Amino acid sequence: MSIRVATLNVWSLPAGLAKHKPQRMRAIYERVAGLNLDVVAFQEVWTQESLDALVAGSKRAGFEHTWHNPEPASGSGLLVISKLPIVKTHFEAFEAKGHSERLNHFDYYSGKGIALVTVEAPFGAVTLLDTHLHANYAPAQGLDEYKGIRAVQVLQLVTSVANLRTPLIALGDFNLEETETSYRVLLGLSGLRDTAVDLGVVQPTWISESPYQTVGQSDKRIDYIFCRDGRQQGIEPRKMSREFAEALDFDGVAGGYSDHAGLVAEFAPVPARAVIHPDHDAALALAAGLLDAGRAIATQRQFDQRLTSGGALAVGIATYNMARFAAQNRRRFLKNVLGFASSASFAMLAGNLALSEWINPKEVAVYDHAEQQLARIQADLRRN
């Protein structure tokens, strides 16, 4: 008896932001059919066409059970397909979403979160957690302004599985390298084990040689399959491999399954063991430091937005008065230019006020809630 699972970020972005989507979705479900899998967790299924193709193709391969968000473009981008019966599902949107003013950083508007899907395996119920944490949009420069956001998301994930009684397999695109602080926080506070490390098969999943990567990218491991025993049933990883990494040819154009490689792992039932939280004291301290740093960034952004609002107000008033003066002196062109500048300044004022007084306070409040979650996690660890 065993359960075979896979994870793959399929890179199906809307508005033409991803290449070869129809061809790649077909290649993905055809490959899935040949891997003898029980459950597959996908990420970045953000177009209706890709969702329909993956669900239909997977059903033809025997995956009769599915879970996904109703609206791909505004949803989590998560899709779970299963040959095993799905007996329970739960979804939580991330409280920390990113920065709303970064329109080129899609995370804030994407509805990312945590999907908990419990399936009936041959040896009993197993819960799979499919997720996709906030991206690092400047890895080459090392300027990761979203470390605090991901730390909050990690704490929400830890909290969501704290009272879970079934064996847990957490998989997806975590956007974390194992050298990052949030990786240590995740393992230290959740009791999850890194399957690739346990089996000695650590491989990058973001591969620089992929035809979809830009020049200068480096290999890194940001997709994972983690596991944890349940209260009455344990699971042990037996095999693991990297899949979906091969090059493909689409009518003479080099391509692949995705801009990520996927992972496949097989787990067998074992007697339940006590869940170990390695270095949880250090993980608690690291989490607190990440939250402090994230809060400082959010507070500074709010200050900068208020400062910009003040400058926009001053410029708007000045240009408005100058436009009135120009109108009185029949300088039509100058009046129009100054009128436009005044309108633009007041628009900037309105936008920054919305950010600083409505949206940004919510971000600061998210850090308050994360600190409360961390305190509860600490109390639970001390009781256990």
Side-chain angles (χ1 to χ4, degrees):
M1 292 188 296
S2 65
I3 180 172
R4 281 176 58 83
V5 303
T7 179
L8 177 65
N9 179 323
V10 302
W11 191 45
S12 179
L13 306 182
L17 297 174
K19 299 177 181 178
H20 306 136
K21 281 186 290 189
Q23 301 97 315
R24 290 192 297 105
M25 296 309 114
R26 185 182 309 112
I28 288 169
Y29 66 68
E30 288 176 352
R31 182 64 185 281
V32 163
L35 288 172
N36 191 29
L37 298 167
D38 296 303
V39 189
V40 184
F42 294 117
Q43 305 86 45
E44 285 196 9
V45 187
W46 272 319
T47 67
Q48 188 66 49
E49 295 78 10
S50 293
L51 175 62
D52 292 343
L54 288 172
V55 170
S58 300
K59 283 190 174 181
R60 290 194 293 271
F63 293 86
E64 291 293 331
H65 311 279
T66 61
W67 175 91
H68 60 84
N69 284 122
E71 298 294 334
S74 60
S76 64
L78 305 178
L79 166 65
V80 177
I81 61 172
S82 177
K83 291 179 180 177
L84 304 173
I86 293 176
V87 296
K88 185 178 180 181
T89 63
H90 174 70
F91 176 76
E92 291 182 25
F94 283 133
E95 296 178 12
K97 299 188 293 184
H99 300 160
S100 60
E101 71 273 21
R102 297 297 185 89
L103 299 180
N104 59 327
H105 294 180
F106 185 63
D107 288 64
Y108 183 86
Y109 302 96
S110 66
K112 285 183 175 181
I114 303 160
L116 293 169
V117 179
T118 302
V119 299
E120 192 62 43
F123 51 86
V126 175
T127 298
L128 286 91
L129 184 153
D130 186 11
T131 194
H132 185 190
L133 271 60
H134 200 295
N136 173 5
Y137 285 93
Q141 294 80 10
L143 304 173
D144 186 358
E145 62 185 291
Y146 297 113
K147 283 185 177 180
I149 297 291
R150 282 197 299 279
V152 173
Q153 292 176 345
V154 164
L155 291 177
Q156 185 176 346
L157 187 157
V158 171
T159 302
S160 72
V161 300
N163 297 316
L164 199 64
R165 303 185 65 85
T166 55
L168 173 64
I169 301 172
L171 65 177
D173 178 359
F174 286 77
N175 273 315
L176 296 172
E177 295 187 73
E178 57 193 293
T179 55
E180 292 186 42
T181 304
S182 285
Y183 173 90
R184 292 182 60 189
V185 171
L186 174 62
L187 269 61
L189 300 185
S190 68
L192 289 165
R193 309 191 309 272
D194 189 333
T195 301
V197 172
D198 284 357
L199 296 176
V201 289
V202 173
Q203 292 179 289
T205 58
W206 181 266
I207 305 171
S208 59
E209 294 180 356
S210 166
Y212 299 130
Q213 300 296 358
T214 56
V215 176
Q217 294 280 3
S218 58
D219 290 356
K220 55 186 177 179
R221 186 168 74 112
I222 56 176
D223 304 85
Y224 297 89
I225 299 180
F226 300 109
C227 64
R228 189 180 77 185
D229 285 2
R231 302 286 176 86
Q232 298 178 333
Q233 176 67 66
I235 52 173
E236 186 76 14
R238 299 301 192 200
K239 301 176 184 177
M240 186 172 185
S241 61
R242 184 177 68 183
E243 305 290 346
F244 305 98
E246 301 84 359
L248 300 175
D249 181 275
F250 298 127
D251 298 324
V253 179
Y257 292 96
S258 176
D259 61 345
H260 288 240
L263 299 169
V264 172
E266 182 175 325
F267 296 88
V270 295
R273 299 152 293 188
V275 174
I276 299 173
H277 298 82
D279 300 324
H280 65 264
D281 287 332
L284 288 166
L286 291 171
L290 287 171
L291 294 183
D292 287 343
R295 177 193 291 277
I297 291 173
T299 303
Q300 183 63 47
R301 286 177 57 246
Q302 187 176 38
F303 174 80
D304 292 343
Q305 288 155 1
R306 286 173 173 167
L307 194 64
T308 303
S309 296
L313 177 61
V315 171
I317 292 173
T319 52
Y320 174 76
N321 288 328
M322 292 170 67
R324 290 184 62 192
F325 177 79
Q328 292 171 359
N329 289 274
R330 299 182 180 180
R331 297 179 180 179
R332 181 173 297 177
F333 176 76
L334 181 59
K335 172 200 166 188
N336 291 338
V337 170
L338 292 171
F340 176 80
S342 176
S343 298
S345 296
F346 284 125
M348 182 182 294
L349 167 65
N352 277 278
L353 280 176
L355 289 170
S356 65
E357 307 307 321
W358 179 51
I359 295 176
N360 204 273
K362 294 180 181 180
E363 183 181 337
V364 175
V366 163
Y367 284 100
D368 293 337
H369 187 222
E371 288 181 352
Q372 296 169 8
Q373 288 180 321
L374 185 60
R376 288 194 294 270
I377 292 168
Q378 182 176 21
D380 289 342
L381 288 171
R382 286 178 175 173
R383 279 197 299 269
N384 297 329

